[in-house]
Amino acid sequence: MTPSPSEVAAATDAAMSATDWIQLAAVPVLTGLFALLGGWLGSKIGKATEHQQWLRNQKHEAYVSFLNEARDFLTKYRSLNSESFDWKEFVTRIRPTNILILAPEPIREAATSLHGGLLFLCLHATDEERRTWPSVKRGIETAEDDYMRLEELCRKELRDLKVN
């Protein structure tokens, strides 16, 4: 029993159409899988970038706040106008807490050193005679040097923090 030419043609058409159906179904399925994978990867990258930007902003805010307070203190200390500045309130206000949490070790060390120097100067802020002591004069110079060092470290770190 040999199949007739029309039966051979019908069988060939049936086999081709099954293959065509598989190919037609595979394209949308693969496209959908690639779209899901791309969306998932994009979400992961977006979250990482958002976190980096948030962290950079937090560091910037902590650095600027602490440096502004320290600069204000040093300016007023240099002016020898102890009556116009609440030294006790300053001691409670200026704390490098956020820097100690967010910053790398060199910045934490510089901020701690500056903070200690400022507290040392606060001890002598209300006594005009003590301000002339050599140790206090060196303390002012050291605090100003620490300030400049901390400012440079903060600038460098924020400049080096790249947000993708």
Side-chain angles (χ1 to χ4, degrees):
M1 281 216 214
T2 28
S4 70
S6 63
E7 290 174 341
V8 171
T12 304
D13 286 343
M16 293 277 281
S17 66
T19 304
D20 289 343
W21 278 107
I22 291 172
Q23 288 175 348
L24 286 174
V27 170
V29 168
L30 288 175
T31 302
L33 287 175
F34 284 127
L36 287 174
L37 180 63
W40 179 77
L41 282 174
S43 172
K44 286 296 221 188
I45 292 169
K47 285 179 183 178
T49 301
E50 184 179 332
H51 178 71
Q52 287 174 336
Q53 183 64 42
W54 174 84
L55 186 59
R56 184 182 189 284
N57 290 342
Q58 294 299 309
K59 286 180 177 186
H60 181 267
E61 185 178 314
Y63 299 165
V64 167
S65 175
F66 184 73
L67 286 168
N68 282 342
E69 290 287 339
R71 186 181 60 233
D72 186 43
F73 173 87
L74 289 170
T75 300
K76 289 183 179 178
Y77 200 89
R78 279 262 188 216
S79 74
L80 299 176
N81 189 0
S82 61
E83 298 83 34
S84 66
F85 194 71
D86 187 352
W87 305 105
K88 291 178 185 177
E89 192 266 333
F90 173 81
V91 170
T92 60
R93 189 176 69 222
I94 186 167
R95 291 190 179 134
T97 307
N98 287 344
I99 291 177
L100 296 177
I101 293 169
L102 298 168
E105 188 63 29
I107 292 177
R108 289 196 309 259
E109 288 174 0
T112 302
S113 177
L114 175 57
H115 186 246
L118 297 177
L119 294 180
F120 169 78
L121 293 174
C122 276
L123 292 174
H124 307 293
T126 57
D127 187 341
E128 295 296 328
E129 182 183 331
R130 285 186 191 175
R131 288 171 176 242
T132 61
W133 290 357
S135 62
V136 174
K137 287 184 178 182
R138 277 194 311 276
I140 292 170
E141 292 169 1
T142 301
E144 288 174 342
D145 290 345
D146 286 348
Y147 176 88
M148 297 303 288
R149 184 170 150 253
L150 177 61
E151 184 180 44
E152 182 56 37
L153 286 170
C154 291
R155 284 179 195 267
K156 183 182 181 317
E157 191 207 357
L158 291 174
R159 189 174 47 244
D160 291 347
L161 279 177
K162 294 188 178 166
V163 178
N164 299 327

